[in-house]
Amino acid sequence: MPKYRVILAVLLILFVIGMASLGWNSNPMNTSSVNNSGERDTHRPACSLLKYGHYRGEPIGVFNGTAVYRLSDGFSIGVENSTYLINASRVFFFDWGFVAFRNESEVNTVPLVKFIVGQYGKTNVSTGNVTAEVPVVVLKACTHDGNPLWNLTLSGYAWAYDGGRYGVKSNGTALPTLLVANTSDYLYVLVYQTTPRSYSEFRNYVHINDYFYVLGKNGTVRKFDLGRGFVPIRNTFLISNGSYVLMGFERPQPDGSPMSGYVMILNGTEVVWSRLFQMNDPSCLCYVIPGWGRINENGCAVFGLYDGEGRYCDGKFIYVANTTG
């Protein structure tokens, strides 16, 4: 073998060994850093800051010496002598930093639900998992000067519908819906799974529960498992007055009629009061929630019931019937 070929072979072997020792991965979309618990993640950059230049407007707030500006297309922060645009769809600011919401796509393994209509009109349902590039919502928490704190990735599921020989065929991914509220210290996020508009029964076959998160500087402070139903929850609301937080939703039956409703009041991370409203509950003589509520600075709440109002204050709940018929 010519001498120069021996040298090239040796160099190639050394290159391969060197890449292996450095942990080189040929997959550019490595998802090993995905973090679903809202904990600190040092492997994935959490702060999407774009150099914006110097902005001379009046800040809407100053946190630990970092100025926050409102722009026509979002928010920016002033760090030292530079201004950075926060590349996100929504941003929430706190004394300890900010949380940015971004819609991204990742290669993830997610549940897959298939509906196939057979020859005689019978629907066959199959479930499993599929690995594909799917949309996700990423919450990225950072300090005011742009250092990462934690990230929380929320994903849904894939679905497919085959209407048979003469029916429609469609497929896609269903992202969870997020309701968000905040106080000066915490971010509250209600996360519930959705379905394609025409196929609400998909929810019954997706083994992903709905959750209510309380997030702070160090990530997830509390995580409430809300379970799952036959179809997605509805008539949801999440309201904050700066101190207290009011959350509620209705869980329907498969035919769309009401089944139950749930209300929770929090002060910071503490649950002040919660109640499950069953349909025709004899202890209440009221029905489940139609999707609105309000809460004052003392933690006293009012929320709608189908035939009246529920009122909570100082540890006492009363039901006020609708007298207008």
Side-chain angles (χ1 to χ4, degrees), residues 34-38 44 88-92 99-108 110 133-141 150-157 173-180 187 189-194 213 215:
V34 172
N35 188 329
N36 288 306
S37 61
R44 175 176 178 166
S89 58
R90 301 177 71 183
V91 185
F92 290 83
V99 179
F101 287 62
R102 283 180 53 83
N103 295 316
E104 300 181 2
S105 60
E106 291 182 347
V107 175
N108 267 353
V110 297
E133 185 169 350
V134 294
V136 296
V137 180
V138 181
L139 282 62
K140 300 184 178 184
W150 51 264
N151 68 270
L152 174 65
T153 301
L154 302 169
S155 62
Y157 62 95
T173 54
L175 268 177
T177 292
L178 276 62
L179 289 187
V180 186
L187 185 70
V189 185
L190 174 60
V191 182
Y192 59 99
Q193 297 297 323
T194 62
Y213 289 88
L215 303 163

Side-chain angles (χ1 to χ4, degrees), residues 272-294:
V272 176
W273 180 78
S274 65
R275 178 156 183 166
L276 175 67
F277 292 88
Q278 299 284 4
M279 192 69 176
N280 289 329
D281 184 348
S283 68
C284 181
L285 298 179
C286 53
Y287 294 86
V288 290
I289 303 158
W292 66 269
R294 59 181 180 268

Side-chain angles (χ1 to χ4, degrees), residues 153-306:
T153 301
L154 302 169
S155 62
Y157 62 95
W159 61 271
Y161 182 87
D162 186 344
R165 184 174 180 181
Y166 302 106
V168 297
K169 295 182 180 181
S170 56
N171 60 79
T173 54
L175 268 177
T177 292
L178 276 62
L179 289 187
V180 186
N182 71 288
T183 61
S184 60
D185 294 316
Y186 301 105
L187 185 70
Y188 304 82
V189 185
L190 174 60
V191 182
Y192 59 99
Q193 297 297 323
T194 62
T195 63
R197 179 174 298 178
S198 302
Y199 313 112
S200 62
E201 60 270 32
F202 272 135
R203 180 67 182 100
N204 186 38
Y205 300 94
V206 179
H207 298 287
I208 307 176
N209 286 1
D210 302 323
Y211 293 97
F212 182 43
Y213 289 88
V214 182
L215 303 163
K217 179 179 180 180
N218 296 316
T220 301
V221 182
R222 300 197 69 172
K223 180 180 178 181
F224 299 92
D225 188 339
L226 305 178
R228 62 184 181 90
F230 298 100
V231 294
I233 63 174
R234 65 187 181 189
N235 291 330
T236 56
F237 57 91
L238 179 59
I239 301 161
S240 171
N241 62 17
S243 299
Y244 288 89
V245 172
L246 173 65
M247 183 271 287
F249 61 87
E250 177 195 318
R251 192 177 297 284
Q253 300 186 68
D255 63 0
S257 60
M259 182 172 67
S260 64
Y262 185 72
V263 177
M264 177 187 291
I265 298 175
L266 296 97
N267 182 7
T269 63
E270 177 188 359
V271 177
V272 176
W273 180 78
S274 65
R275 178 156 183 166
L276 175 67
F277 292 88
Q278 299 284 4
M279 192 69 176
N280 289 329
D281 184 348
S283 68
C284 181
L285 298 179
C286 53
Y287 294 86
V288 290
I289 303 158
W292 66 269
R294 59 181 180 268
I295 190 165
N296 68 15
E297 65 276 5
N298 298 318
C300 297
V302 179
F303 50 89
L305 296 166
Y306 275 121

